[in-house]
Amino acid sequence: DSGVTQTPKHLITATGQRVTLRCSPRSGDLSVYWYQQSLDQGLQFLIQYYNGEERAKGNILERFSAQQFPDLHSELNLSSLELGDSALYFCASSVLAGGGDTQYFGPGTRLTVL
Amino acid sequence: EDKVVQSPLSLVVHEGDTVTLNCSYEVTNFRSLLWYKQEKKAPTFLFMLTSSGIEKKSGRLSSILDKKELFSILNITATQTGDSAVYLCAVSGNTGKLIFGQGTTLQVKP
């Protein structure tokens, strides 16, 4: 158990819908990262927050957004869902904002869009 | 463009064999290289390497980094069926984001 928690574990929804994925980082970690893992793309970085502020952005679609709250938990919002958004979404956390720090991954949320 | 390439993509061995997994990378302002093990769920942290030539060990697993040649290897000795998994290599630059390789799928047969 990495100490990073994610809810829900599974989510099944229809195209065009909106969902929210939640992540709580390890105690003491200020940085939260979101990654998407699909069969054809592997693990891809989406976005990073550090102590409530957006720190770095990857190839995140405009339909996706995220935020980190004062208690440091983070939410990833996915809207106007398409079949291709079906994937595993992981949250990771670390103490520091920059590179050179270990990231610990949560158990993931498996999103299925029908 | 930052990238990580792992080889081989898949490997089948028998229990007791020794395996070497390879990871080469190109990243701007390299800060660290990390190895993870993934077994149908979340990636589990194995090692983080930041300096060349210093071997990190944990039981039967070890890893080393060569910053001049831009690669790392992960060795697993006396493999067991429980070592069957996807092994992921990732690098970070100045930002915290990790750039992952495609992974090496290891199958250890009894």
Side-chain angles (χ1 to χ4, degrees):
Chain A
D1 184 356
S2 67
V4 179
T5 61
Q6 288 186 249
T7 56
K9 288 185 180 177
H10 302 277
L11 206 46
I12 301 174
T13 189
T15 54
Q17 295 298 304
R18 173 188 169 95
V19 296
T20 297
L21 313 183
R22 183 187 167 103
C23 166
S24 292
R26 294 188 323 154
S27 177
D29 285 359
L30 298 177
S31 222
V32 169
Y33 310 79
W34 287 97
Y35 294 87
Q36 179 192 57
Q37 187 173 38
S38 57
L39 282 173
D40 56 341
Q41 294 286 332
L43 261 165
Q44 300 282 320
F45 168 76
L46 295 177
I47 197 163
Q48 176 198 6
Y49 278 81
Y50 177 77
N51 205 20
E53 300 288 327
E54 183 184 302
R55 184 74 179 207
K57 242 178 176 178
N59 295 327
I60 187 167
L61 299 170
E62 285 193 17
R63 301 183 284 108
F64 295 3
S65 65
Q67 54 184 324
Q68 187 179 28
F69 295 86
D71 68 351
L72 301 177
H73 91 271
S74 177
E75 291 180 358
L76 179 67
N77 299 297
L78 315 176
S79 61
S80 303
L81 285 168
E82 302 175 0
L83 295 177
D85 297 328
S86 295
L88 261 172
Y89 291 84
F90 289 109
C91 166
S93 73
S94 67
V95 175
L96 304 175
D101 195 16
T102 302
Q103 291 183 27
Y104 293 92
F105 282 74
T109 294
R110 182 173 293 280
L111 173 67
T112 303
V113 182
L114 301 175
Chain B
E1 182 189 347
D2 297 342
K3 67 179 180 180
V4 177
V5 177
Q6 293 185 244
S7 65
L9 292 181
S10 66
L11 197 51
V12 180
V13 301
H14 286 93
E15 275 192 315
D17 288 349
T18 294
V19 298
T20 298
L21 309 184
N22 304 295
C23 175
S24 64
Y25 64 89
E26 293 176 29
V27 66
T28 306
N29 298 320
F30 172 87
R31 294 291 300 277
S32 61
L33 183 144
L34 294 89
W35 285 97
Y36 289 89
K37 178 182 181 182
Q38 187 173 27
E39 302 169 88
K40 295 185 181 178
K41 44 186 180 178
T44 303
F45 171 73
L46 295 174
F47 299 111
M48 183 174 75
L49 303 153
T50 57
S51 302
S52 275
I54 299 173
E55 185 182 49
K56 294 238 176 158
K57 289 197 74 169
S58 176
R60 297 176 292 103
L61 278 66
S62 64
S63 184
I64 197 160
L65 174 67
D66 184 329
K67 289 168 71 173
K68 183 179 176 186
E69 299 298 328
L70 306 182
F71 80 89
S72 173
I73 59 172
L74 175 68
N75 282 317
I76 309 175
T77 59
T79 51
Q80 302 171 357
T81 54
D83 295 326
S84 296
V86 176
Y87 290 84
L88 296 165
C89 173
V91 295
S92 71
N94 280 337
T95 69
K97 74 175 189 181
L98 293 178
I99 302 142
F100 281 87
Q102 325 92 297
T104 294
T105 300
L106 173 65
Q107 183 184 358
V108 181
K109 291 186 170 182

